[in-house]
Structure formats: structure tokens, C-alpha cells
């Protein structure tokens, strides 16, 4: 398969964010081409904790069973003198055993394995993926962009894409090409990342640890490992401006350092890779230029505490991909794409700030006072945020995030999860979302379902309508309370599972009122 001369959406970057974007575009029938300079997924150990909200997104791709991990596995974190020695402090990771707010539980799958599953899914759905193909030039135009791509054998190809998504990491060529700058604290800590091959089962002694901080007189380090407990990454702070400090990371010295941090013998450890990296805290000052967009690490860099980086990038990709689907496939106005930054920007800033606040709590890094904000719980950060869903609203919700238990389908929030039954099968209310608009109605609002379907059908807008109590059973009688409506109420949910509109009580269906909702939320063009 060779690079085509054109496509609807070009995705630059084949990490987890780019692959996720390609998968959701392909699922909805959008012609997506992905290029990635590497020949295969990165072998380096990166993210390995994915929150329930992230698993919800992959559930809609029908791959949740493939990425689930056994309950009780790698549930804790600790501060230690060395991994094999006594602990200074230990705590349980949040949301690891599931939450009533979601039908899904967190997964501790390593990112490399997740990327392989999502890559296979994207290809199966029809995305065209080109690894060993590097973007070498990108020239934006009003109707898209011209990209130059060089394959591993040196062949260069140009293609026209109607839209481009730059998912090419924190050193994004796409971002630089667009001239987009970053804001925030910037670089905070220089570290040397040492990848090791070793069996740490004896050092763990059966403890369900997922990662650990090492505190010794001369060592301030962070340990993380693969779920099979045979690959470890040791990150050690150092000063790159100190020549003596920088040159001490020889393979032999790194093996001795690892032995001290792990509490193992040097001969039990193999050093696989040594490379510097910088812990930083920033976000892009713009997420797009024309028809070229950015997502994932191209628009945010978070300290690893909390594990928000990859999760947030996946949510970026999902939000943007479904907006592009609406514009490309369902004739939504281009102004819908303006909501990408309006919605994701405040969330990204919150996540960067929350990860940085955790760094201030758990390290000796000196940070300005503005970084020392109260720390929110992980469930609130990953599921409790609220978008300024109406473009004319103009302001970010305050507070931007609250615990999901305090949300009841307010416009701009993630629609709540409740268990329903349909045709004898138990399903989450979230399983109804993902293929177009969804109208959920109380038993006395059936007329809204009938009329909404007719109204959307005449405009080519996909919608499915469900009267809870007729089309789906509510065995626990929690739907109305969870969604904050009466028996005559209705809630309109968009493709990504966020609420567009809610009426606690409805009267006779008004097509003009319904159309106004769709126009104001940029789902349809004004007539």
C-alpha cells in the first residue's frame, strides 16, 4: 500500500493519541491516513494507567475486553529506600477498582500493548496507517494542507488533506510549523531515563505496587515497570549543565545505580537504553491554525504524577475526531470545530495544573505559589469537567470540574452512567452513545422522541431516541434522579456522550425550539 495523493484527514503521529483519532474517524466512515516516522510502536515504557473514562471511549470501539487488566493488579504506589527494602509510605491508586460513576474500571495495561490493540482496530475499521513514514513538510491552505512524507526508503510523496491532526508529541513539528507557542511553567526537572531488563518479582515480594519513588542520601529517583514485571524504567534527576553529573550515566554506572534503587545485584540487571528527558508543565496557546489541529502531547506536557498525560490526549483525540465526523459526514457547520479549543483548552489547563500541584506535594522541586493549588481527586479530573457547550456562553464554567456524583446531566457535562435493560440485556446508558445524537426521554415524553427523529431525518443528522421505561427498562429506578428530570423530561446527548440540552419537564414538541438547540450547539447549519 502506497501513500495516497489525497485524503480527508491526515493524522501525523502514530502514538496512542494519533491511533485513537484514526480509529474514531474510521469507525464513522471518514477517510483517514496516519503517518508515523517510527517503524513500529515505541518500545519504551510510558503510560500504563488508564482511567475509567478512557476505557469508556475504547468500550465504544468494542475493545474493552482486550485492554482490561485483572482486578487487584498493581494497585498501589510507594516511597521507598529501595524497592526491596522497607517502605517509607504507601497509598492506593485512585479509581483502580472501579467507580459507581462508570461501567468501566481502570486498566494498568502498558501503553505499548494498548497502542498495538488500537492500531489493529483502526486498520480493521478502514484507517490507512503508514509507519516508517516521516512528515518532512506541511503547508497549510484555506482548504486544507499539502503534506510531504518521506518513506523509510527515501521516497517522497505529497498529498492533500482536507484536515490535519498533529499528534506528533511534545516536540511537535506540526506545532512548530504553525508557529504556535506554549504557556506555563515550562521545563522543571531534567532526568535521565534508564530502561532496564530485569525480573523484579522477588524485590516486590508480592506487593501490588505500580510505581515507586526512591529516596536515598544521594539519589532522588522514580521507578516504573511493565505489568509483566520484567521491564523497568528508572528516572534519575540530574543537572545537564554540570559536566561531571551528565557523564556519570555510563551503562556500568547506570547498572550500579539501578541495583541500589531496586535492592538487587548488578548482575541481575541489564541496561537496555539511556536517554535524557525533561519533566515539564505547559500547554499550547492555540490548538489549531485553519484546518490544521493539534492533540495530545503536542498541546500539553504534564508531570507524570496522576498519569494524566496519555489519558488527556486520548480525550482530545476523541473530542476532535467526532467533531470532524460531524462536519465531514453530516454537514455540520465549520464553526463546530471552533468548539474544540473552547472545550478542551480549559480542561487541558486544569489537568496540567493538577499534575503540577501533585509534583509540588511529592517532590523537592521548587515551584511558584500559583502552582500550589488544592488537589482535586482523579475521578473529578477525568470525569467531572464541564464544557462551555454553547459558543455564545463565552465563559468557562466555575468550577470547571466537580465530583461526578454531583452532576445530573447538566448541559456541557458527561452524561451519567446508569444501568438499563434492553431486550433482556444489561447495558449502560453510555452504550447508547457514540453513533450520533441521542435523545433520552422520560415515559411521558415519547412525543419528543417521535418528532425529534423526523426533524433530524429531514436534515441528515443521525439521531436515536429512547424512552426509558418503554425502549429500555430502568430496573433500579434511578434514571430520572441521575439525569435530573421528571417523567416528562428529556436530555439530548451528542456523539461524544456530553449533554447538549436538557428539559426537566417538556410540553408539546416544538420543532422550532428543537432546531434552535441544534443550531446553537453547532450541530446543524442555520437556515
Amino acid at each position: 500500500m502506497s501513500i495516497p495523493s489525497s485524503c480527508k484527514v491526515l493524522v501525523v503521529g502514530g502514538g496512542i493519541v494519533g491511533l485513537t483519532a484514526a480509529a474514531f474517524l474510521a469507525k464513522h466512515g471518514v477517510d483517514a491516513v496516519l503517518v508515523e516516522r517510527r517503524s513500529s510502536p515505541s518500545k519504551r515504557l510510558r503510560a500504563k494507567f488508564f482511567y475509567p473514562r478512557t476505557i469508556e471511549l475504547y468500550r465504544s470501539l468494542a475493545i474493552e475486553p482486550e485492554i482490561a487488566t485483572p482486578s487487584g493488579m498493581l494497585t498501589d504506589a510507594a516511597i521507598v529506600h529501595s524497592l526491596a527494602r522497607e517502605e517509607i509510605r504507601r497509598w492506593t491508586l485512585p479509581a483502580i477498582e472501579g467507580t459507581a460513576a462508570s461501567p468501566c474500571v481502570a486498566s494498568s495495561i502498558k501503553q505499548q500493548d494498548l497502542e498495538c490493540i488500537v492500531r489493529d482496530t483502526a486498520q480493521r475499521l478502514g484507517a490507512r496507517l503508514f509507519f516508517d513514514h516521516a512528515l518532512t513538510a506541511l503547508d497549510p491552505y484555506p482548504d486544507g494542507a499539502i503534506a510531504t512524507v518521506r518513506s523509510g526508503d527515501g521516497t517522497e510523496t505529497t498529498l492533500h488533506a482536507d484536515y490535519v491532526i498533529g499528534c506528533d508529541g511534545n516536540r511537535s513539528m506540526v506545532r512548530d510549523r504553525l508557529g504556535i507557542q506554549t504557556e506555563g511553567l515550562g521545563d522543571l526537572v531534567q532526568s535521565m531515563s534508564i530502561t532496564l531488563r530485569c525480573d523484579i518479582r522477588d524485590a516486590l515480594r508480592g506487593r501490588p505496587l505500580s510505581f515507586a519513588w526512591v529516596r536515598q542520601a544521594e539519589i532522588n529517583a522514580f521507578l516504573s515497570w511493565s505489568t509483566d514485571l520484567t521491564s523497568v524504567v528508572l528516572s534519575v534527576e540530574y543537572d545537564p549543565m554540570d559536566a561531571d553529573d551528565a557523564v556519570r550515566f555510563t551503562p556500568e554506572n547506570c547498572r550500579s545505580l539501578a541495583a541500589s534503587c531496586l535492592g538487587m545485584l548488578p548482575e541481575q540487571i541489564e541496561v537496555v537504553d539511556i536517554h535524557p528527558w525533561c519533566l515539564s508543565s505547559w500547554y499550547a496557546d492555540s490548538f489549531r491554525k485553519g484546518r490544521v489541529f493539534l492533540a495530545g502531547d503536542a498541546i500539553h506536557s504534564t508531570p507524570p504524577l496522576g498519569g494524566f498525560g496519555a489519558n488527556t490526549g486520548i480525550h482530545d483525540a476523541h473530542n476532535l475526531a467526532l467533531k470532524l465526523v460531524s462536519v465531514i459526514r453530516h454537514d455540520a457547520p465549520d464553526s463546530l470545530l471552533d468548539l474544540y479549543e473552547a472545550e478542551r483548552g480549559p480542561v487541558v489547563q486544569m489537568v496540567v495544573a493538577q499534575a503540577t500541584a501533585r509534583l509540588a506535594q511529592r517532590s523537592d522541586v521548587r515551584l511558584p505559589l500559583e502552582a500550589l493549588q488544592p488537589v482535586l481527586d482523579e475521578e473529578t479530573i477525568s470525569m467531572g469537567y464541564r464544557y462551555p457547550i454553547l459558543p455564545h456562553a463565552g465563559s468557562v464554567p466555575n468550577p470547571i470540574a466537580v465530583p461526578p456524583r454531583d452532576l445530573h446531566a447538566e448541559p456541557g457535562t458527561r452524561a451519567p452512567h446508569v444501568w438499563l435493560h434492553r431486550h433482556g440485556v444489561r447495558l449502560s446508558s453510555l452504550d447508547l452513545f457514540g453513533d450520533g445524537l441521542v435523545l433520552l426521554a422520560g415515559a411521558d415524553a415519547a412525543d419528543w422522541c417521535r418528532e425529534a427523529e423526523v426533524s433530524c431525518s429531514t436534515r441528515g443528522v443521525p439521531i436515536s431516541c429512547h424512552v426509558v421505561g418503554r425502549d429500555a427498562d430502568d430496573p433500579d429506578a434511578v434514571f430520572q434522579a441521575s439525569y435530573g428530570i421528571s417523567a416528562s423530561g428529556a436530555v439530548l446527548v451528542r456523539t461524544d456522550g456530553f449533554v447538549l440540552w436538557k428539559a426537566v419537564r417538556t410540553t408539546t414538541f416544538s420543532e422550532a425550539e428543537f432546531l434552535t438547540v441544534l443550531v446553537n450547539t453547532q450541530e446543524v447549519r442555520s437556515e
Side-chain angles (χ1 to χ4, degrees):
M1 183 171 62
S2 58
I3 289 278
S5 60
S6 65
C7 63
K8 281 294 182 182
V9 182
L10 172 65
V11 180
V12 181
I16 190 58
V17 175
L19 291 168
T20 298
F24 278 106
L25 289 167
K27 176 191 177 184
H28 293 278
V30 172
D31 173 32
V33 169
L34 180 148
V35 296
E36 164 56 51
R37 61 179 178 78
R38 296 169 299 156
S39 59
S40 61
S42 174
K43 299 295 192 295
R44 288 177 176 168
L45 184 62
R46 293 159 292 153
K48 63 172 183 179
F49 186 81
F50 297 90
Y51 285 103
R53 174 57 184 164
T54 302
I55 307 305
E56 290 174 7
L57 306 188
Y58 291 132
R59 179 186 178 98
S60 70
L61 291 175
I63 58 174
E64 182 188 8
E66 296 179 66
I67 62 181
T69 50
S71 177
M73 184 178 183
L74 307 183
T75 59
D76 294 358
I79 299 173
V80 300
H81 292 293
S82 75
L83 190 61
R85 292 175 57 197
E86 67 273 15
E87 299 172 0
I88 299 172
R89 184 165 71 90
R90 192 206 297 195
W91 62 95
T92 298
L93 295 172
I96 193 71
E97 293 295 348
T99 166
S102 176
C104 302
V105 297
S107 172
S108 55
I109 185 173
K110 61 183 179 181
Q111 185 170 328
Q112 179 187 346
D113 291 344
L114 179 60
E115 287 181 2
C116 290
I117 293 169
V118 179
R119 177 199 62 197
D120 293 346
T121 301
Q123 287 180 316
R124 173 176 52 80
L125 292 169
R128 291 177 284 177
L129 311 182
F130 294 89
F131 281 75
D132 201 21
H133 284 70
L135 180 76
T136 58
L138 183 69
D139 297 302
Y141 294 98
D143 64 343
I146 300 293
T148 304
V149 179
R150 179 182 296 135
S151 67
D153 63 8
T155 303
E156 284 200 338
T157 305
T158 59
L159 78 156
H160 177 273
D162 290 353
Y163 300 91
V164 177
I165 309 177
C167 306
D168 52 339
N170 58 11
R171 297 180 180 177
S172 171
M173 173 188 172
V174 177
R175 186 184 68 235
D176 291 345
R177 182 68 180 174
L178 299 179
I180 291 175
Q181 304 300 310
T182 62
E183 300 179 13
L185 298 177
D187 295 344
L188 297 176
V189 179
Q190 298 288 340
S191 295
M192 194 66 73
S193 180
I194 307 166
T195 302
L196 311 166
R197 186 174 294 117
C198 54
D199 188 332
I200 62 170
R201 285 177 294 181
D202 288 345
L204 282 173
R205 303 189 306 279
R207 294 170 294 166
L209 292 179
S210 183
F211 48 83
W213 282 265
V214 177
R215 296 291 181 263
Q216 296 181 17
E218 302 296 327
I219 300 173
N220 188 13
F222 177 75
L223 285 168
S224 182
W225 44 85
S226 61
T227 49
D228 62 7
L229 310 182
T230 62
S231 180
V232 176
V233 171
L234 169 63
S235 295
V236 183
E237 293 180 20
Y238 83 108
D239 182 0
M241 304 305 295
D242 184 335
D244 292 336
D245 198 21
V247 300
R248 69 187 172 100
F249 292 98
T250 64
E252 191 57 37
N253 286 347
C254 286
R255 192 162 70 150
S256 297
L257 181 62
S260 177
C261 291
L262 292 169
M264 297 170 58
L265 298 174
E267 53 266 30
Q268 296 176 294
I269 301 167
E270 177 187 354
V271 176
V272 177
D273 181 56
I274 306 168
H275 71 276
W277 72 286
C278 184
L279 186 153
S280 54
S281 172
W282 55 258
Y283 51 88
D285 63 9
S286 177
F287 291 6
R288 71 179 289 194
K289 183 176 181 180
R291 290 189 168 197
V292 182
F293 298 81
L294 300 172
D297 287 352
I299 52 173
H300 47 76
S301 181
T302 67
L305 291 89
F308 299 122
N311 286 274
T312 303
I314 291 165
H315 301 181
D316 298 337
H318 181 252
N319 182 293
L320 177 57
L322 295 187
K323 285 177 168 55
L324 287 168
V325 168
S326 293
V327 171
I328 294 169
R329 292 293 312 279
H330 307 304
D331 198 35
D334 288 345
S335 55
L336 176 64
L337 300 174
D338 295 336
L339 296 185
Y340 171 57
E341 183 171 344
E343 293 175 358
R344 293 301 301 166
V347 174
V348 163
Q349 292 181 36
M350 174 194 66
V351 170
V352 171
Q354 284 294 309
T356 305
R358 283 163 170 73
L359 177 69
Q361 278 190 339
R362 300 177 188 172
S363 76
D364 299 327
V365 178
R366 292 182 177 273
L367 297 174
L369 289 177
E370 59 265 26
L372 306 178
Q373 61 179 272
V375 171
L376 302 176
D377 68 82
E378 285 77 1
E379 185 172 290
T380 295
I381 295 168
S382 61
M383 286 195 288
Y385 52 82
R386 182 171 182 170
Y387 291 146
I389 207 83
L390 296 174
H392 61 262
S395 61
V396 177
N398 185 24
I400 186 175
V402 299
R405 64 179 177 273
D406 296 335
L407 295 174
H408 301 284
E410 291 81 3
T413 65
R414 164 187 164 275
H417 151 69
V418 296
W419 287 114
L420 303 172
H421 278 75
R422 187 174 60 175
H423 308 307
V425 177
R426 186 180 190 235
L427 76 161
S428 168
S429 53
L430 306 190
D431 296 330
L432 302 174
F433 312 140
D435 293 320
L437 298 177
V438 172
L439 186 67
L440 295 178
D444 296 338
D447 61 321
W448 271 78
C449 286
R450 290 191 301 270
E451 298 298 334
E453 286 177 336
V454 172
S455 182
C456 285
S457 176
T458 61
R459 293 170 174 80
V461 177
I463 188 171
S464 59
C465 300
H466 307 273
V467 177
V468 177
R470 184 193 71 185
D471 304 319
D473 295 327
D474 177 20
D476 300 321
V478 296
F479 168 70
Q480 290 182 27
S482 296
Y483 277 69
I485 62 173
S486 68
S488 66
V491 177
L492 183 64
V493 182
R494 69 185 187 186
T495 308
D496 67 353
F498 278 74
V499 177
L500 287 177
W501 167 88
K502 179 174 84 168
V504 176
R505 295 173 180 81
T506 64
T507 56
T508 303
F509 179 83
S510 166
E511 184 172 21
E513 179 183 346
F514 187 67
L515 182 59
T516 297
V517 170
L518 297 182
V519 169
N520 286 345
T521 56
Q522 311 299 304
E523 292 293 327
V524 302
R525 299 176 185 272
S526 59
E527 297 179 345

